[in-house]
Amino acid sequence: MNVLVTGGAGYIGSVTTELLLDAGHRVTIFDNLGRGHREAVDPRATFIEGDLCDRDAIFTALHDMRPDAVMHFAAFALVGESMEHPQMYFQNNVVGALNLADAMIAAGTPKIVFSSTCATYGQPDVVPITEQEKQLPQNPYGESKLMFEKMLDWYRQIHGIQPVFLRYFNACGATARYGEDHDPETHLIPLVLRVALGQGPAIKIFGDDYDTPDGTCIRDYIHIVDLAAAHICALEKDVVGSFNLGTGQGHSVLEVIAACRRITGHPIPAEVVARRPGDPARLIASPEKAASVLGWRAQHADIAVIVESAWRWHQEHPQGYHA
Ligand code: UFG
């Protein structure tokens, strides 16, 4: 298929592009390189440097390439930043995304696979989280993603487009070529591995007094290759609707740090500090709907396998892409 990937120079977009190309699809990447990296653009893809907030640019791109489908990754994705600068999130993640949806209608593009998030659920009542859980985001980031889900659902009803919402849990790991390089970095695994690389004195543990077995927060860490594979299932299957993408297993912050110590052989000092505001104690996906409808299950759910892949990438890119 002929696929337009927005945000294809970013972390999840670059790996999904790699898998799409490996599977024989044609890919055009549309990315403003604001947070993505030119080095993460797969050389086999066509690259358009453009911003979704530039309505003419995205209309022209879709008009010219007439894709069979869009995969939409381009967005801001930091919870803390969204609490300080909500406007940025509504502008980029909602207004920019609306331009994309309108350009799809104008070009007759039928399908969109959208990067959504478990942050749309807020503090869930029930764990593991199913797609039926109420969506009550606790921050502008989650709200901006939910707003675009709702807009796309109306466009489905009115214009007949086919949206698939993939609600990611904690994306992590790397392929041999592409990995995680955020600025600023806020995610647990890359920050722990920076300590192992000698780039920081200790990892800060944000609270050890949660209602969990070891007191630290539990998350569902999902390998980036598994996430990318789910996008290809969503693209190739005739489906619409929402799917939680996780392994169904949770790991605490202490368990992740222990796995990193085993794999790196570094003692990785850790210090417990105050809780980070807004962190739910436990977020674990129910992957059952994705299994039954998409035919997808995480194949690399072992946290050691995930950390090993990230560690390889960070050792080869100790300063990220701009080494
Ligand atoms: N953590 C630490 N120390 C750190 C960084 C993180 O203890 O230096 C802890 C966090 O408190 C959390 C866990 O490690 O308990 C994972 O934190 P991340 O920042 O790696 O990931 P989050 O679970 O906060 O974020 C993820 C996605 C977001 C999404 C969010 C929903 O990355 O996009 O889940 O809550 F919005």
Side-chain angles (χ1 to χ4, degrees), residues 79 119 141 170 186-188 191 204 206 217 219 276 279:
V79 169
Y141 165 60
N170 287 60
T186 62
H187 293 114
L188 179 63
L191 287 176
K204 292 187 166 64
F206 296 147
C217 289
R219 294 287 181 273
R276 188 169 66 177
D279 274 343

Side-chain angles (χ1 to χ4, degrees), residues 166-220:
L166 299 181
R167 297 181 186 145
Y168 310 155
F169 283 65
N170 287 60
C172 44
T175 66
R177 299 163 76 183
Y178 304 119
E180 190 167 9
D181 178 7
H182 295 120
D183 185 20
E185 188 54 80
T186 62
H187 293 114
L188 179 63
I189 291 175
L191 287 176
V192 176
L193 295 179
R194 278 186 189 178
V195 179
L197 283 170
Q199 296 175 353
I203 183 70
K204 292 187 166 64
I205 297 171
F206 296 147
D208 66 352
D209 55 353
Y210 285 92
D211 183 17
T212 59
D214 67 22
T216 65
C217 289
I218 292 175
R219 294 287 181 273
D220 187 335

Side-chain angles (χ1 to χ4, degrees), residues 2-5 26-29 48 59-69 107:
N2 188 17
V3 185
L4 179 90
V5 176
R26 273 179 297 144
V27 176
T28 299
I29 290 173
I48 300 172
F59 268 68
T60 303
L62 266 87
H63 176 269
D64 290 350
M65 72 169 287
R66 304 267 165 194
D68 301 303

Side-chain angles (χ1 to χ4, degrees), residues 95-110:
V95 177
L98 178 63
N99 288 337
L100 172 65
D102 287 343
M104 286 178 58
I105 304 300
T109 308

